[in-house]
């Protein structure tokens, strides 16, 4: 479960978002500049809200009135960025293992095998990120986030940097992830078609404000 | 002609020891300072930045004299260190190492700072979301990615330390076997009537060490860069 009720001033731009979701995949929909990335960064703990609360899976991670701000590294979230952000000095195996090590989790070969198979990245394990295609990088980034055993997965336009063909290559993996991994997700996109395929709930943002909230059908309404 | 006398050997080995110790001790401080200057904003940052570069622009004799006033036997810090920790810098090889460390510090810090500034902060953010606390972000992402700069800084600092003359001779004098480095040995030999041949040998050796250091730096930097780009 995710509960968000925050305001954040970013220069001239005001982000004011409030919603509660039990959905498996919350789609954050809006044009570029609508505040989607700022909102997801606030949920991740990379930005600190000026006012309000964020509750992830029953834990209050932000509460400005009570002075609570759990730093990003202790939120147990997974974050897949538009630009993968794999560590160039580590090979794919080490990239995948990074979150587990940093969180001090025990080695879990069963989960690793499952994630590697789910994302079809077994052949890449000994390579360096520099040798991967954009689509392969994004699949590894997904795996890296999953293997840190997050309680919430944040995806910021994970297909945004890919061409049409690559998008179609990744989409099935994301759908499998939604159906098999059992981790709630927040999925940011400006592409309604993408969200119709993946999201179970939609939060629509416009100029920093939530303008609609509900099932996928709100995407077909007036924007 | 090319027979190196025991006195010359002593000066060569002392120079190497002084420069190696100065570089190794200065490097952790250099990395910490470079990180502060690259990644933190605080009051007095520009003053700190200027202070780090000061030995580069001050006459070395001034730096040496300031070291003598501070770390000499009756100096503020020197007296305390001698009384409480038994560490003496004045007229010892350790003093030579301190002088070389201070003089080479700006050259050590600069490449490290530049390479830390060049590390993509989005990678540090990614590490944070994967559960890495700030210290671990630094140790597992920032520092490895800045490694070519760290090595370059160390080699430059070493090269500067091995050639240091003015501050060293002012602070710890020119005592054979204790503080007489290659530079001060050459200085003494040039002023001795029959010293030309010996001075010439030491000149050749210092050129060889400097060239070796520069070639090593280039090699390390290339290797480290290749590693970072996944070749």
């Amino acid at each position: 479960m995710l509960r968000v009720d925050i305001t954040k001033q970013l220069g001239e731009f005001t982000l004011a978002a409030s919603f509660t979701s039990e959905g498996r995949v919350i789609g954050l929909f809006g044009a570029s500049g609508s505040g989607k990335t700022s909102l997801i960064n606030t949920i991740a703990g990379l930005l600190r809200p000026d006012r309000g609360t964020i509750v992830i899976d029953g834990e209050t991670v932000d509460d400005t009135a009570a002075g609570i701000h759990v730093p990003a590294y202790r939120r147990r979230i997974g974050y897949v960025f538009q630009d993968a952000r794999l560590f160039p000095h580590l090979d794919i195996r080490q990239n995948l293992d990074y979150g587990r090590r940093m969180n001090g989790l025990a080695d879990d070969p069963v989960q690793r095998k499952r994630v590697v198979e789910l994302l079809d990245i077994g052949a890449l394990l000994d390579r360096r990120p520099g040798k991967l295609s954009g689509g392969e990088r994004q699949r590894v980034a997904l795996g890296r986030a999953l293997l840190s055993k997050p309680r919430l997965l944040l995806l910021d336009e994970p297909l945004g940097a890919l061409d049409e063909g690559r998008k179609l290559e990744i989409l099935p993996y994301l759908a499998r992830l939604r159906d098999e991994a059992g981790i709630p997700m927040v999925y940011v996109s400006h592409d309604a078609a993408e969200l119709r395929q993946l999201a179970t709930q939609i939060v629509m943002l416009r100029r920093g404000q939530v303008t609609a909230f509900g099932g996928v059908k709100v995407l077909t309404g007036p924007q | 002609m090319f027979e190196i006398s025991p006195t010359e050997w002593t000066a060569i080995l002392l120079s190497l020891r002084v420069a190696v110790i100065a570089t190794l001790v200065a490097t952790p401080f250099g990395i910490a300072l470079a990180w502060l200057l690259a990644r933190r904003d605080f009051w007095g940052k520009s003053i700190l930045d200027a202070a780090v570069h000061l030995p580069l622009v001050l006459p070395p004799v001034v730096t040496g004299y300031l070291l003598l006033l501070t770390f000499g036997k009756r100096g503020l810090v020197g007296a305390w260190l001698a009384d409480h920790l038994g560490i003496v810098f004045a007229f010892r090889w350790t003093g030579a190492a301190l002088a070389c460390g201070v003089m080479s510090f700006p050259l050590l810090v600069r490449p490290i700072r530049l390479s830390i500034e060049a590390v993509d902060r989005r990678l540090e953010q990614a590490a944070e979301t994967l559960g890495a606390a700030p210290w671990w972000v630094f140790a597992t992402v920032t520092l490895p990615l800045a490694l070519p700069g760290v090595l370059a800084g160390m080699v430059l600092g070493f090269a500067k330390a091995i050639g240091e003359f003015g501050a060293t001779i002012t602070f710890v004098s020119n005592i054979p076997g204790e503080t007489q480095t290659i530079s001060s040995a050459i200085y003494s030999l040039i002023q001795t009537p029959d010293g030309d041949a010996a001075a010439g040998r030491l000149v050749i050796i210092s050129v060889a060490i400097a060239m070796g250091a520069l070639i090593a730096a280039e090699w390390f930097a290339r290797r480290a860069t290749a590693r970072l780009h996944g070749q």
Side-chain angles (χ1 to χ4, degrees), chain B residues 67-88:
Chain B
L67 284 171
L68 190 61
L69 290 181
T70 318
F71 291 96
K73 281 225 174 71
R74 271 166 294 169
L76 213 63
V77 184
W80 190 90
L81 284 174
D83 290 347
H84 292 85
L85 301 172
I87 299 172
V88 178

Side-chain angles (χ1 to χ4, degrees), chain A residues 73, chain B residues 40 128 132-139 142:
Chain A
Y73 65 90
Chain B
R40 281 284 175 270
E128 206 188 333
W135 162 250
W136 283 109
V137 174
F138 176 75
T142 319

Side-chain angles (χ1 to χ4, degrees), chain A residues 33-174:
Chain A
S34 60
K36 303 187 298 288
T37 298
S38 301
L39 180 54
I40 205 171
N41 280 342
T42 312
I43 296 171
L46 297 172
L47 284 177
R48 195 174 178 154
D50 297 332
R51 186 209 61 76
T53 55
I54 295 175
V55 181
I56 298 173
D57 196 22
E59 190 200 341
T60 304
V61 291
D62 267 303
D63 185 346
T64 49
I68 296 170
H69 174 71
V70 177
Y73 65 90
R74 282 205 258 117
R75 291 203 174 188
R76 291 185 41 229
I77 42 112
Y79 197 146
V80 180
F81 301 90
Q82 181 172 345
D83 49 350
R85 303 192 192 181
L86 302 181
F87 303 122
H89 57 302
L90 303 178
D91 65 25
I92 299 309
R93 198 186 301 276
Q94 292 166 324
N95 264 283
L96 289 173
D97 216 28
Y98 188 88
R100 179 188 72 75
R101 283 172 176 278
M102 288 300 130
N103 286 296
L105 303 171
D107 192 21
D108 186 346
V110 179
Q111 194 211 11
R112 184 171 23 200
K113 188 163 174 287
R114 205 168 52 90
V115 169
V116 166
E117 277 170 11
L118 177 79
L119 296 167
D120 214 356
I121 48 179
L124 311 173
L125 292 180
D126 293 317
R127 288 204 225 159
R128 291 297 191 98
K131 301 271 179 188
L132 267 51
S133 73
E136 288 172 333
R137 258 180 240 163
Q138 211 49 286
R139 264 147 59 199
V140 173
L142 265 170
R144 184 178 68 170
L146 282 175
L147 286 170
S148 70
K149 303 202 174 181
R151 48 189 179 176
L152 178 69
L153 194 58
L154 308 172
L155 303 104
D156 186 10
E157 308 245 11
L159 308 181
L162 304 177
D163 58 45
E164 215 47 49
R166 294 285 177 202
K167 274 184 196 177
L168 294 175
E169 173 195 322
I170 307 284
L171 264 171
Y173 290 109
L174 287 169

